Amino acid sequence: ERAYARAVELFEQASSEYDYVLFSLLRQEDRDIDTYLWHFSSKFNFDKVPEPELIEVEDGTGDVLVFERYLFPVTDQDLNALLREIVKADHGGFNYLSSSVLFLSSQDNIIYHCYDDRGVDIAVLDDDKRLELFTDCHDLLFDYDMEEMERRVRG
């Protein structure tokens, strides 16, 4: 419950309006992407599944990983419900959600990534907004990232 509360507070502090959800799935032989897409779009009230964008990434061993990325426009979806499911992904939830969902705010130029119950990454273009988040949410930040966050805030 603490992980969810932290995720929601950071989510709301980062932006008041998210206009896209980027959903990314790794193609694997034993993975039924169509089932995940159906579940994701129906459970979280997305009317239509967009066409995928295929992304190829070479991993550290030289293998090529292929991801399918889907950009869903946000209309009236309950994004907090989606956040709750992401936080629960590794603990009896829908494990395909772990590390696969990004929330995008074009208004605030924010990328918000709650990967699971372990935490959140927030990409911020605006230096003032980064400082504001760092200052206002300091008690929500993890110590192991503090040195890097301080470096980024200082510029």
Side-chain angles (χ1 to χ4, degrees):
E1 205 53 37
R2 268 185 65 216
Y4 173 69
R6 177 184 303 125
V8 168
E9 186 167 346
L10 288 167
F11 185 74
E12 292 172 351
Q13 287 284 334
S15 180
S16 60
E17 183 178 336
Y18 292 89
D19 36 10
Y20 291 98
V21 170
L22 184 65
F23 184 46
S24 182
L25 293 168
L26 174 62
R27 280 189 175 175
Q28 294 173 311
E29 285 183 30
D30 61 340
R31 199 163 210 199
D32 186 1
I33 286 181
D34 289 339
T35 299
Y36 294 146
L37 281 171
W38 174 83
H39 181 265
F40 181 82
S41 61
S42 61
K43 175 149 184 74
F44 302 110
N45 196 31
F46 290 102
D47 293 332
K48 182 181 172 203
V49 175
E51 287 298 312
E53 178 183 8
L54 298 181
I55 305 295
E56 293 184 358
V57 178
E58 188 174 315
D59 71 7
T61 66
D63 290 338
V64 175
L65 305 175
V66 179
F67 290 87
E68 290 188 17
R69 281 198 327 201
Y70 299 86
L71 188 62
F72 288 88
V74 172
T75 53
D76 60 352
Q77 287 76 21
D78 182 352
L79 299 182
N80 284 357
L82 177 52
L83 266 180
R84 180 176 293 283
E85 292 301 331
I86 293 168
V87 169
K88 292 181 357 185
D90 290 337
H91 303 283
F94 308 110
N95 63 355
Y96 74 88
L97 291 174
S98 181
S99 296
S100 63
V101 179
L102 300 173
F103 298 88
L104 311 176
S105 170
S106 59
Q107 170 186 310
D108 295 313
N109 292 316
I110 299 280
I111 300 173
Y112 176 95
H113 178 215
C114 175
Y115 30 98
D116 54 28
D117 64 314
R118 293 171 295 158
V120 168
D121 287 326
I122 304 172
V124 183
L125 284 179
D126 182 69
D127 292 337
D128 292 335
K129 181 68 173 180
R130 187 179 305 110
L131 179 60
E132 174 191 319
L133 282 170
F134 183 76
T135 305
D136 294 352
C137 302
H138 199 272
D139 59 325
L140 298 173
L141 306 177
F142 293 125
D143 290 339
Y144 69 85
D145 281 340
M146 195 56 66
E147 188 176 313
E148 177 64 16
M149 288 185 280
E150 287 172 346
R151 187 186 67 75
R152 289 176 185 243
V153 167
R154 285 192 306 267

